[in-house]
Amino acid sequence: MTQRKVMPFSAIVGQEKFKKALLIVAANPTVNGVLIRGPKGVAKSTAVRALANLLSEIEVVADCPFSCDPHDRSKMCSSCKARVDSGEVLPTLKRKKRIVELPVSATLDRVVGSLDIKKVLKEGDRALEPGILAEANRGILYIDEVNLLPDEIVNAILDSASSKVNVVEREGISVTHPSDFILIGTMNPEEGELRPQLLDRFAISVDAEYPKDSHELVEIVKKVEQFEMDPDKFIREYDGPEIRLRETIERAAKLLPHVEIDDGLMNFLASTILSLSVSTRAMISAVKVAKTLAALDGRTKVNQDDIKEALDLALRHRVSDPSQIFNATTPQTGDSNRQENNNDQESGKSQPGPQDNTLQGRNSKSYNVEPMEVDLPKYNKPGMGYGRIGLFETIFGRLEGKGKQLDLYSSLVNMCIHGNRRLDVEDLALKSAWTKGSLPILILLDASKSMDFSKRIGVAKGIVKGLLKRAYQVRSKVGLIVFSDRHAKYVVPFTRNFAKINSQIDNIAPKGKTPLSSALALATSIINRERGSRNFLIPIVFLISDGKANVPLRGNLRAELSELALKIGKISSLIVIDTGHPYQPSFNQLISSVSKGIFIHVNNFNTNLDLK
C-alpha cells in the first residue's frame, strides 16, 4: 500500500501553541489527551499526521495484534502472558509508534473489536477480531471531528484511555487487552461542542487560529505549493529540522523524571484551580504539563512561565471564560508567594476570582417577549404501563418497532450456537436501524403576527429552548425552519451548534401572515434529503404554531395541508405543538390527524401542556 506523503512538522507555518501541545504529549505520554479546537483549514489534521515522524521507536511482540511490550508482563495481553509463562521466547521487532486515525463512519464493533465471524462459521471458535483500540495500543489515537462522534463510541474510547485496558464482551465471551494510547482530538466548535464531562477527560486543549497577517498567509501558500510540486524533495529539505525536533523530544523524555516544582509554585497551581472549581484532573494535568515544558526547554526546574502556560493548556477547556485563568496573582516561588498572599489578606485587598460571565445586553435586538420556561408534559397513559414519562420518552416509546432490520451477524452466531446448518426462525435477531442519540430533529417555528397574541411567541421560544436542551443530552442534531409573511425559511441547517439556533430564536419578532403550507413543503424536501443519506432513519419534526394558516401554495388550503401532512407523516414522526386558543378552530389538529402524529396543546396563560 502506498504511504501517504505528509508535510514535515517543522515546515508548518505558525500555530506555535498547538504545535507545542503536540510536542508535550510526544515527550510525555502520561499527559493523556490533547484537544485542538479551531475552524476548518488551519492545519489541525496536517500537524497531527506530521507528528508521526517525530515519535520514537518501540519494541513490540512481532506477532501480537496488540503490540505488547515484550519486556513488561503487566502490559501484555492474555495470549502473550500465557506464552511467557510456558517458557516461550517472544519474537520481537522495533518500529515507530503509530498514529491510528479513527474513521468518522466507524462503528462501535470496529472501535472496540468484534467476533471473527469466519472462525465462528468455519471452526466454531469464538475468536476476537481486534479493533481500532487494539491497533492504537502504545501509540496515538487520532480522532478528527471528535465532537461529531456518537456518545457510545466516545465513552468506549475514553474509558479505555482512562483505564489503559479495553474489555470486549460479545456473545458470551469476554476478552481483555492492553489499550494504552495517547488521545488526540480535533474539532470545529462551529459544528457543536463536546459535553463538559467529555471535555474534562482531555488533559489539555489549545485553540488553532487563522493566520494573523498577510506575510504568514503568503508563506503558507508558498510552502504548500512547493510540497505539492515535489513532496519527496520538500521532505528531504526538512530532514535536519525534523531530526533536531526528534532529539529534543527524546532528551525531554529522559530529563522528565528529574524535573521538580517548588512548593510555592505548586501551592499557586492548587489555589488557582480550587478558585475556579475545576476537577482534580486539571491539577494533575497542569503539573505534568509544567514539568514537560521545562524538560523540553532542557531544565530540571519549573519556572513561572511554565506554570502560566500549563494553566492555560490545562484549564482553557474546563472554564466558561478563559480570562478567569489569569485573574490570580502572578506566581512567586517559595515563601515569598505565601507572604504576598498573607499581606493581601491583611490589607483587605479583594482577591480576584471567577468573573460573572453573564452577557449584558445579550438580547438587546430580541423581540420584547422573552422565552417563557415551559415544562414539557409528564403524564400517565392509561393501560400502557409507562408510568409518569416525559415528552421525548413518549415519542421514542411510540417509535419502537419502527426502523428495525435483520442483524445478520448476531443471527449467524445464533445459528452456530444452536448447531443449525441453516438459518431458522429461532436464530433470527433484529436490531434498531438507528439510535436515539443520532435522530435528527427538525423544528418548524411559526413567527407570524398571530403568534404575538397572548405571549404565544414567548411560549414557543421557551418550548424550542427546552427541546434544544433535550437534543443536546441525546446528541441529536437540530435544524430550524421559521415561517412568517409569505414563505418559510431554513434559517439553521442541521447542526449540533445549538448556540447558533438560540441566537436565531432570540431575535425572532412576529410579523405577517402564516405560510404553514410552505413550511410543511420545505420540511418534506429537507427530510427526504436527510433520509437519503442514511437508510431507515426516522427524523422527528416539531411543528410549533397556532395553526392559523392563511397563505396557500396553490388555492385550496385545507386540501394541500392534508396532502402535505400525509407526505410528512410517511417519512418522519410529527409532533404538533398547538399554541392557539383551545376553543378556536385551527389546522393543527387536521395536520396531526392526517400525519398520525402526536398533538400537544399549550394553554398560553399558564404554559401547561396538555397531551392529547
Side-chain angles (χ1 to χ4, degrees), residues 413-427:
V413 171
N414 291 339
M415 182 187 74
C416 296
I417 293 172
H418 296 149
N420 297 329
R421 291 189 174 184
R422 54 185 291 179
L423 281 174
D424 202 349
V425 174
E426 64 178 353
D427 305 322

Side-chain angles (χ1 to χ4, degrees), residues 571-583:
I571 59 175
S572 72
S573 293
L574 181 64
I575 295 90
V576 180
I577 301 180
D578 181 31
T579 62
H581 195 283
Y583 303 114

